[in-house]
Every structure is written in structure tokens, then in C-alpha cells.
């Protein structure tokens, strides 16, 4: 909530980060640089580790969203404090981890270096001369192009609204990535200029872009990495719940997960219990997955995301 000093107590608070465009200066691989995406994910994991009040985050490209439960009382829910703490924590981790992820060249098999398929159908004009970088991309941060992120705080009154927002974010990831993949295929492997590719794609549907990728370049978009197509979801790992045992397909507050002791209402929880919950969150493994958050299964199997309380520890598999 940009216009409010506090995030409403009844609402879920989401911090949205957007990054300054650095891809051109640092010569990121187009359309996706797996190193840069992994760096974003590592910074997000660090942010969740430092701030156990965050229950989940979702990111793609240069944007990340961090979700606080509606019961969160961190900084008395002052939006300015929440946003500034998240953005500074994320940015410091991003800068610190930059050399770890960007000091090495792109891994083989990326879009730019992918071998041309001899059996690909249709016209492959331009794919024989896929350009390769002629210079070593800069890996050290340039003081004139330091990574920066801006943040805003948004309050969603219900879990249904929150799910709609995250569903929109993931749908946006797919739409943008399909366009970018097709655009850069036409430029890097089809010999078009940026302007020509943009004009060529005007008015095309998703089905048209899929056909262009396959017929011209032998690229099956569905085989692109899920991190590119679905984005990244970062959360604490607990034991999964059997979806058949739950009936809250849309995760509404009226469901069993949002009633009684599962409401996550910390007003009725003692200080000792709060500390135990905090320690449980800190001990939990933070994972990054590239999964569908639009369908119900992700939420039904992870009810702790809406309850605001830690779930049951995941069983460790020993061999």
C-alpha cells in the first residue's frame, strides 16, 4: 500500500521489487541468462533466511514479490519499514553474491550457444551463423552500473486476492518469456534486426509464436527450462499434505486452514510460542522451485502458507 503508513492488519502484505535494467551493460545472455536468474533466486533465499516473517516469494526476470502473512507484526506493519528492509536485504545479497554467479561464462546449452538442429522443419535462415560473444562480458560490477531495486508495499484483503495476484505474475512470466524467446530467436538465429523482429511479431498470438519457434528454428517452447516458463517460487519446506484431505480449493479464509488454531492470529499466542514458531521457521530448509502456482495443488499441499504457522518438518530420506 503506497498511500498508507501501515499495512492493514486484516491484509496480506506483499513487497514487490523491480530491478534496474543491467542486462545490456553486463551482456546477459538473451533471452534468459540462467546465471542472473540463479543470482536473483539466491538473493531471495537469503532474504527469507534473514526475515522469517516472509512466508513465500515469487520472481521472474528482474522482479520479485515477498509475501508477509496477515498476522505478521514485524515493524508494527509499517509499510515503509517493511519495504525498505526487504529491498536493502535483497540488494545487499545480490551485490555480494554477484561474483559467485556472474564471474563465469554462460553454461553450454544456453539459447545463444544451442546447437542448430539438422532435422528441424521449415526455414532455418540465419541459424547457421549464430553469433558468439566476441569479447569477454564484464563480470566485475561497474560503479556506474550498480544493481539497484525499488520496492512498493501492497495489501491484499484475502488469500483469494493474493492467489489471483501470484497467478497473474506467473501468467505474465509465461507471456513475456514466450515473446522474448521468439523475438531473440528471430534476431540471434534468424538474422532480423530488433525493429524487424518487433514488427514481425505484432499481432501474433501464443500459438503463432510457438509455430514460429518450431517451424523456423526447431525449438519446442515446452522444452524450455521451467525456470524460464514458470518463474521461481521460494518458500520453507515442510511435510506435504494430502490434497484430498482438504476442501479449500481457492484457499478462502472460511476454509479449515484459516479457522481456529490455524488462523495464524498471533494476538492469542504467547511470547514463548511466537519464539518457537520463529525458530521453527529459521530451521526449515528454504527451497526454490519452478512450479505452477495457478492451480490449486500447490496451495492445498502446503496449508502452512495460509495459516502463517510452520508446518510439520519434512521427513529426511536416508540411504
Amino acid at each position: 500500500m503506497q498511500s498508507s503508513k501501515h499495512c492493514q492488519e486484516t491484509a496480506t502484505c506483499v513487497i514487490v521489487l523491480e530491478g534496474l535494467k543491467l542486462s545490456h551493460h553486463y551482456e546477459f545472455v538473451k533471452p534468459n541468462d540462467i546465471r542472473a536468474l540463479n543470482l536473483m533466486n539466491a538473493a531471495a533465499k537469503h532474504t527469507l533466511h534473514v526475515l522469517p516473517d516472509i512466508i513465500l516469494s515469487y520472481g521472474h526476470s528482474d522482479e520479485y514479490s515477498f509475501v508477509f502473512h496477515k498476522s505478521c507484526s514485524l515493524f508494527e506493519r509499517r509499510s515503509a519499514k517493511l519495504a525498505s528492509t526487504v529491498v536493502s536485504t535483497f540488494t545487499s545479497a545480490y551485490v555480494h553474491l554477484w561474483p559467485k554467479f556472474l564471474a563465469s561464462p554462460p553454461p553450454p546449452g544456453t539459447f545463444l550457444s544451442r546447437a542448430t538442429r539438422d532435422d528441424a522443419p521449415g526455414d532455418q535462415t540465419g541459424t547457421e551463423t549464430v553469433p558468439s560473444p566476441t569479447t569477454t562480458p564484464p563480470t566485475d560490477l561497474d560503479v556506474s552500473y550498480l544493481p539497484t531495486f525499488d520496492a512498493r508495499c501492497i495489501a491484499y484483503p484475502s488469500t483469494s486476492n493474493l492467489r489471483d495476484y501470484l497467478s497473474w505474475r506467473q501468467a505474465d512470466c509465461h507471456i513475456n518469456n514466450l515473446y522474448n524467446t521468439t523475438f531473440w530467436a528471430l534476431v540471434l538465429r534468424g538474422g532480423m534486426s530488433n525493429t524487424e523482429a518487433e514488427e514481425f511479431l505484432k499481432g501474433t498470438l501464443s500459438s503463432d509464436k510457438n509455430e514460429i519457434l518450431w517451424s523456423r528454428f526447431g525449438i519446442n517452447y515446452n522444452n524450455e527450462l521451467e525456470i524460464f516458463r514458470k518463474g521461481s517460487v521460494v518458500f520453507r519446506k515442510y511435510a506435504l499434505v494430502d490434497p484430498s484431505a482438504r476442501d479449500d480449493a481457492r484457499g478462502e479464509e472460511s476454509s479449515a486452514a484459516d479457522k481456529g488454531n490455524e488462523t495464524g492470529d498471533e494476538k492469542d499466542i504467547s511470547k514463548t510460542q511466537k519464539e518457537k514458531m520463529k525458530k521453527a521457521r529459521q530451521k526449515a530448509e528454504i527451497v526454490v522451485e519452478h512450479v505452477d502456482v495457478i492451480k490449486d495443488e500447490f496451495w492445498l499441499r502446503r496449508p502452512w502458507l495460509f495459516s502463517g504457522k510452520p508446518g510439520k518438518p519434512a521427513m529426511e530420506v536416508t540411504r
Side-chain angles (χ1 to χ4, degrees):
M1 288 179 60
Q2 293 175 286
S3 60
S4 175
K5 184 177 179 181
H6 294 74
C7 286
Q8 300 173 3
E9 292 186 1
T10 57
T12 299
C13 178
V14 178
I15 310 295
V16 184
L17 305 186
E18 291 185 14
L20 176 69
K21 299 293 185 180
L22 302 172
S23 60
H24 179 71
H25 179 75
Y26 292 106
E27 299 180 23
F28 285 3
V29 174
K30 303 295 186 180
N32 295 292
D33 194 318
I34 190 67
R35 303 168 304 164
L37 293 175
N38 286 336
L39 172 56
M40 290 285 288
N41 293 341
K45 285 184 66 176
H46 173 78
T47 305
L48 261 72
H49 175 73
V50 172
L51 299 170
D53 295 88
I54 298 174
I55 60 173
L56 172 142
S57 63
Y58 174 81
H60 71 84
S61 186
D62 63 343
E63 299 182 19
Y64 241 104
S65 299
F66 295 86
V67 180
F68 289 91
H69 191 262
K70 61 184 178 181
S71 66
C72 170
S73 58
L74 183 66
F75 300 129
E76 298 179 341
R77 300 181 64 82
R78 286 179 289 171
S79 59
K81 292 283 286 185
L82 291 172
S84 62
T85 299
V86 170
V87 74
S88 60
T89 302
F90 183 91
T91 304
S92 61
Y94 188 92
V95 172
H96 176 74
L97 294 171
W98 177 278
K100 179 179 179 181
F101 290 90
L102 273 299
S104 58
T110 56
F111 184 87
L112 184 62
S113 61
R114 188 178 302 146
T116 301
R117 283 191 44 178
D118 294 332
D119 61 338
D123 178 19
Q124 295 189 55
T125 303
T127 60
E128 299 296 335
T129 56
V130 179
S132 299
T134 56
T135 59
T136 302
T139 55
D140 293 333
L141 285 172
D142 185 339
V143 70
S144 299
Y145 291 89
L146 290 176
T148 60
F149 297 85
D150 67 81
R152 58 188 179 277
C153 189
I154 307 169
Y156 289 101
S158 70
T159 53
S160 178
N161 296 142
L162 174 64
R163 279 195 57 180
D164 288 342
Y165 164 74
L166 292 172
S167 296
W168 167 76
R169 292 278 284 115
Q170 190 163 68
D172 186 57
C173 171
H174 162 69
I175 293 170
N176 289 340
N177 188 65
L178 177 57
Y179 179 90
N180 290 335
T181 301
T182 311
F183 176 89
W184 287 109
L186 292 169
V187 173
L188 298 176
R189 302 180 65 178
M192 289 187 182
S193 67
N194 288 14
T195 302
E196 289 171 338
E198 187 176 351
E199 284 295 322
F200 185 81
L201 292 175
K202 279 186 177 179
T204 57
L205 304 175
S206 294
S207 57
D208 300 324
K209 296 180 181 71
N210 276 287
E211 178 60 25
I212 292 169
L213 288 172
W214 175 248
S215 62
R216 288 185 173 231
F217 309 107
I219 297 175
N220 184 341
Y221 180 75
N222 291 326
N223 291 337
E224 295 297 295
L225 296 179
E226 289 189 330
I227 187 175
F228 303 153
R229 296 185 289 115
K230 296 180 179 179
S232 301
V233 191
V234 186
F235 56 93
R236 292 174 182 81
K237 182 179 179 181
Y238 300 110
L240 296 177
V241 172
D242 181 1
S244 64
R246 298 180 55 79
D247 59 1
D248 56 342
R250 287 297 296 167
E252 298 289 353
E253 284 87 353
S254 60
S255 68
D258 290 321
K259 291 181 178 180
N261 293 331
E262 292 188 335
T263 59
D265 188 355
E266 297 189 8
K267 293 180 180 179
D268 300 325
I269 298 176
S270 67
K271 185 176 180 180
T272 301
Q273 288 175 313
K274 288 182 181 180
E275 285 299 316
K276 288 183 178 180
M277 289 170 58
K278 183 177 181 180
K279 289 180 179 179
R281 294 192 189 105
Q282 291 173 328
K283 289 181 179 179
E285 178 186 3
I286 298 174
V287 297
V288 179
E289 295 188 4
H290 318 293
V291 294
D292 191 323
V293 298
I294 299 176
K295 296 179 181 178
D296 296 328
E297 183 179 5
F298 176 82
W299 305 98
L300 293 175
R301 303 201 70 186
R302 299 168 180 83
W304 61 85
L305 294 174
F306 285 143
S307 74
K309 294 185 177 182
K312 295 180 180 179
M315 296 293 292
E316 294 185 2
V317 178
T318 57
R319 296 184 180 180

